[in-house]
Amino acid sequence: KYTVERTYHTRANQQTMMETFRTACYMDHFGRLIVLSSTQIPFHVRRIVGRALDIPASKVRVIKPRIGGGFGAKQTSVSEIYPAIVTWKTGRPSKMIFSRYESMICSSPRHEMEITVRAGADENGIIKAIDLYTLSNTGAYGEHSSTTVGLSGHKSIALYRHTEAYRFAFDVVYTNVQAAGAYRGYGATQGIFAVESAVNELAHKMGMDPVKVKEMNMPIEGGPLPGYPDVPYAQSCSMDRCMARAKEMMDWDSKYPCRDMGNGKVRGVGVAMAMQGSSIAGVDVGGADIKLNEDGSYTLALGCTDMGTGCDTVMAQIAADCLNTPMDNIVVFSVDTDISPYDSGSYASSTTYATGNAVIQACGELRKRIHAFGAQMLGVSAEESDFDGEKVRTEDGKEVTLQQIAGKATCGVCSELQVVKEYSSPISPPPFMAGAAEVEIDKETGQIDVIDYVGVIDCGTPINPNLARVQAEGGIGQGIGMVLYEDVQYTDKGKIRNNSFMQYKIPNRMDIPKVRIEFESSYEKTGPFGAKSIGELVIDTPCPAIANAVYNATGVRVRELPITPEKVAMGILEQEAGEKK
């Protein structure tokens, strides 16, 4: 029997989206307050602004234009209240654009967490028990405090299917620092770093390759997901193929654990696996409104927020496929709370999964209505005709085009060729990922360079592989920032020290290695065309994989992020001093 008990410490991280917080307000000619804002949660902003001004939400209209990133920071109402007050009181237009400094001090960074993991395995390397305790720092206020910490256990314990005994407990503390909030990964990132690092340490203690340990214990299709009540078993899962492919891409067997490069530098490899969720089961709502226009085009109004993720494109693809029409024939109308269907917001990896299902349902209903109306124009029943997306035809050759149907339906006949659907999932099927990193370390200075990173992902069946790939590359880049560079620091009075990009280091293009992404598709029967989520999952593997690679290269185990050159260099010196004794 083998056990480990270790404590890991992750620091607060800023989301550092490229577009800062910004809002503009004006009064319309009906005396209503119009709020244009860079936000992930337009419908929540409408409610919050209404309550702040003590006016009905019906007096507030929120419009979300194109926005440049959010990553959870814009899941909080930051910039909307103040210009709204000015415009409501004066009747004059107002705007508020945060500088980078203001965005850094007014944001809600990732929760700092200290996580203690006890894990036990039998003599064959089967993980039988995991005990997790998380202490989370929520800062001065409790926003997101209880929900975020839950994911540190919720998304990590389930990675080990043979676990017979598991326990998860947590405490959340108020401290005199900046209030923490939502950031991509939302607690799972911290929990997976701790659990995966502990299992990697357990593998070392057992003298086993960590890939082998994970292969024996990972989730498999149809297998259990301990501690994951959203779904009791993995109904779609290709984690085994993800790990096999990642091992192959990294050429793991020839590189593990490390190689001395002969020039004072050494290279090591590390591995990790991760899972997330697809929307919050029974909570998140996705909405879609599709209508046929008089020229035969379609307008798709969405309640979800595209913040650079490309969800407007994905939803247009889904609609075009369902309606059997060219994608150019779909006009996507982004969020306007007056005319968009209700949507709880773009967070919790919910957009493609939840809103995609709403789009499928809305388009399916609209297609039936168009078919029935076209058949009526031909004097036959729907069963006696066929609709291919362009024409309704009968067996004897009579036909009517989509444009003719649209013209007739909007001119005098008043047929309602418009459908609104909303979708909320009772379950949250997890996507899975295997990540492997290769790092090069200068043994004299402790300098760490990530040489190679491979990520193999099971996000169900990707609807748009190109958009999924750039999501993965971006998430891995942010994960590299978290593990090697980023650390929100405060003065004794809780004032943030590193309040610009001069002091707060995030990785630039030179710090990001060759990132190679592949997909090992599964088919999630509850998802749109078999898809699951990808947005948050992809930030979860770099921290444990790179920490494992650093250890394999140097023998220095760093359990407190970020892993800086100083920590590595000092660890190497301590090792050498110990050997001399």
Side-chain angles (χ1 to χ4, degrees), residues 306-553:
D306 191 331
M307 49 182 159
T309 50
C311 66
D312 286 357
T313 302
V314 170
M315 296 306 138
Q317 284 182 278
I318 291 173
D321 194 283
C322 291
L323 294 163
N324 204 15
T325 193
M327 195 170 151
D328 292 343
N329 204 36
I330 308 283
V331 178
V332 179
F333 194 91
S334 216
V335 191
D336 179 332
T337 57
D338 266 14
I339 55 179
S340 296
Y342 178 79
D343 191 294
S344 51
S346 290
Y347 57 85
S349 305
S350 62
T351 307
T352 295
Y353 183 74
T355 308
N357 272 320
V359 171
I360 286 175
Q361 291 181 4
C363 291
E365 177 66 27
L366 180 61
R367 183 171 179 137
K368 287 180 187 174
R369 291 189 191 180
I370 294 169
H371 185 181
F373 188 81
Q376 184 183 338
M377 288 174 65
L378 294 171
V380 298
S381 67
E383 290 75 21
E384 298 172 296
S385 59
D386 180 59
F387 176 47
D388 64 359
E390 295 181 4
K391 295 176 182 178
V392 175
R393 293 187 179 90
T394 64
E395 289 184 5
D396 58 3
K398 288 192 292 184
E399 63 182 32
V400 60
T401 66
L402 182 64
Q403 287 78 9
Q404 289 171 324
I405 295 170
K408 184 78 170 173
T410 54
C411 185
V413 178
C414 300
S415 178
E416 190 182 8
L417 296 184
Q418 179 172 359
V419 178
V420 181
K421 289 287 184 182
E422 292 189 338
Y423 179 83
S424 180
S425 176
I427 62 171
S428 178
F432 300 96
M433 177 180 180
E438 182 177 16
V439 302
E440 182 176 84
I441 295 176
D442 187 316
K443 290 191 285 187
E444 189 171 350
T445 65
Q447 173 65 34
I448 308 162
D449 292 310
V450 183
I451 302 300
D452 191 13
Y453 201 97
V454 302
V456 187
I457 301 164
D458 163 23
C459 58
T461 303
I463 289 175
N464 187 318
N466 286 335
L467 285 176
R469 179 170 283 105
V470 296
Q471 280 283 296
E473 290 170 354
I476 287 167
Q478 287 179 311
I480 289 170
M482 180 176 175
V483 66
L484 294 182
Y485 306 111
E486 298 181 46
D487 181 8
V488 175
Q489 298 172 348
Y490 300 98
T491 66
D492 291 341
K493 294 187 175 181
K495 189 174 180 181
I496 189 167
R497 289 182 188 275
N498 36 2
N499 50 33
S500 77
F501 284 153
M502 292 294 287
Q503 293 92 12
Y504 187 77
K505 167 68 175 167
I506 62 172
N508 61 33
R509 193 66 195 89
M510 302 299 289
D511 300 315
I512 303 295
K514 175 175 64 177
V515 175
R516 295 180 288 147
I517 303 297
E518 287 193 9
F519 299 98
E520 285 290 344
S521 297
S522 63
Y523 185 85
E524 175 52 50
K525 61 184 179 183
T526 66
F529 298 110
K532 296 186 286 191
S533 75
I534 193 171
E536 292 180 282
L537 169 76
V538 289
I539 200 172
D540 292 336
T541 58
C543 291
I546 290 172
N548 187 220
V550 169
Y551 172 78
N552 285 334

Side-chain angles (χ1 to χ4, degrees), residues 15-17 19 40 67-75 182-183 307:
Q15 296 90 345
T16 61
M17 60 286 165
E19 182 204 40
Q40 294 172 234
I67 68 175
F71 308 117
K74 294 171 185 174
Q75 196 180 323
Y183 183 8
M307 49 182 159

Side-chain angles (χ1 to χ4, degrees), residues 179-310:
Y183 183 8
R184 189 181 204 166
Y186 201 79
T189 312
Q190 297 96 305
I192 287 171
F193 165 64
V195 169
E196 283 297 275
S197 294
V199 170
N200 285 337
E201 292 198 46
L202 192 58
H204 179 73
K205 194 171 185 179
M206 295 187 291
M208 295 179 69
D209 184 332
V211 169
K212 179 67 175 172
V213 173
K214 293 178 197 307
E215 285 173 342
M216 293 190 296
N217 291 281
M218 64 175 54
I220 58 171
E221 191 154 295
L225 295 170
Y228 190 78
D230 299 55
V231 281
Y233 64 94
Q235 54 194 28
S236 60
C237 178
S238 64
M239 180 73 98
D240 51 348
R241 286 184 278 125
C242 290
M243 185 63 75
R245 183 64 185 136
K247 182 180 179 182
E248 183 182 342
M249 290 169 69
M250 182 55 75
D251 193 13
W252 180 268
D253 289 335
S254 68
K255 294 179 178 178
Y256 174 78
C258 64
R259 296 176 295 158
D260 194 319
M261 306 310 288
N263 56 355
K265 295 183 178 181
V266 62
R267 290 188 179 185
V269 290
V271 68
M273 57 186 186
M275 60 177 274
Q276 196 80 32
S278 301
S279 80
I280 305 173
V283 174
D284 286 343
V285 176
D289 178 348
I290 183 92
K291 69 175 179 178
L292 178 65
N293 301 313
E294 64 273 13
D295 63 345
S297 65
Y298 297 93
T299 298
L300 176 61
L302 298 169
C304 62
T305 300
D306 191 331
M307 49 182 159
T309 50

Side-chain angles (χ1 to χ4, degrees), residues 45-90:
V45 166
R46 179 178 67 175
R47 171 178 52 83
I48 291 165
V49 168
R51 289 186 177 179
L53 298 180
D54 197 22
I55 61 176
S58 60
K59 293 271 189 185
V60 182
R61 177 184 182 186
V62 178
I63 299 171
K64 189 278 312 175
R66 292 281 180 201
I67 68 175
F71 308 117
K74 294 171 185 174
Q75 196 180 323
T76 298
S77 178
V78 176
S79 60
E80 292 85 4
I81 304 295
Y82 310 105
I85 292 172
V86 170
T87 295
W88 188 251
K89 292 294 185 184
T90 67

Side-chain angles (χ1 to χ4, degrees), residues 574-581:
E574 286 173 15
Q575 278 182 343
E576 291 173 350
E579 288 171 4
K580 286 176 183 175
K581 288 179 184 177

